[in-house]
C-alpha cells in the first residue's frame, strides 16, 4: 500500500489495485510487515476498506446538480 506517487505500491490508500479497474485488495497482504499478530490490523483494514467502498458508491450515485446560490437569510 502506498501513496499515489509511489510507483512500487500495488494498491493505493483506498486499497484499489493500480492499473485494474474496480478491484480492491482487502486483506493482510497489503501490510508491509506481517510478523506478529495480524488479527487486529486486518480487522481495521477491513473496516477502512468497507467505509471506502461505501463512500465511493455514494459519490458515484450522486447526480451532478448545480445549486444556484439563493438569497441569504439571516436568522434573528
Amino acid at each position: 500500500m502506498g501513496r499515489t506517487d509511489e510507483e512500487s505500491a500495488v494498491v493505493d490508500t483506498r486499497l484499489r489495485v493500480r492499473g485494474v479497474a474496480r478491484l480492491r485488495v482487502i486483506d493482510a497482504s497489503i501490510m508491509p510487515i506481517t510478523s506478529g499478530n495480524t488479527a487486529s490490523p486486518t480487522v481495521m483494514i477491513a473496516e477502512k476498506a468497507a467505509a471506502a467502498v461505501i463512500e465511493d458508491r455514494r459519490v458515484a450515485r450522486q447526480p451532478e446538480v448545480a445549486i444556484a446560490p439563493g438569497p441569504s437569510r439571516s436568522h434573528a
Side-chain angles (χ1 to χ4, degrees):
M1 181 168 67
R3 299 183 315 258
T4 55
D5 61 341
E6 281 187 66
E7 292 182 18
S8 63
V10 176
V11 295
D12 64 10
T13 57
R14 296 184 68 80
L15 306 177
R16 296 175 293 211
V17 176
R18 294 169 184 243
V20 182
R22 300 179 60 170
L23 179 63
R24 295 181 197 249
V25 173
I26 305 173
D27 64 13
S29 69
I30 67 162
M31 291 188 282
I33 300 172
T34 57
S35 63
N37 189 346
T38 59
S40 294
T42 303
V43 170
M44 293 180 75
I45 290 167
E47 288 178 356
K48 176 184 173 171
V53 169
I54 291 168
E55 182 180 348
D56 290 351
R57 292 288 290 172
R58 284 186 183 147
V59 169
R61 289 183 180 190
Q62 289 179 351
E64 294 183 25
V65 177
I67 300 174
S72 62
R73 297 179 186 173
S74 62
H75 298 284

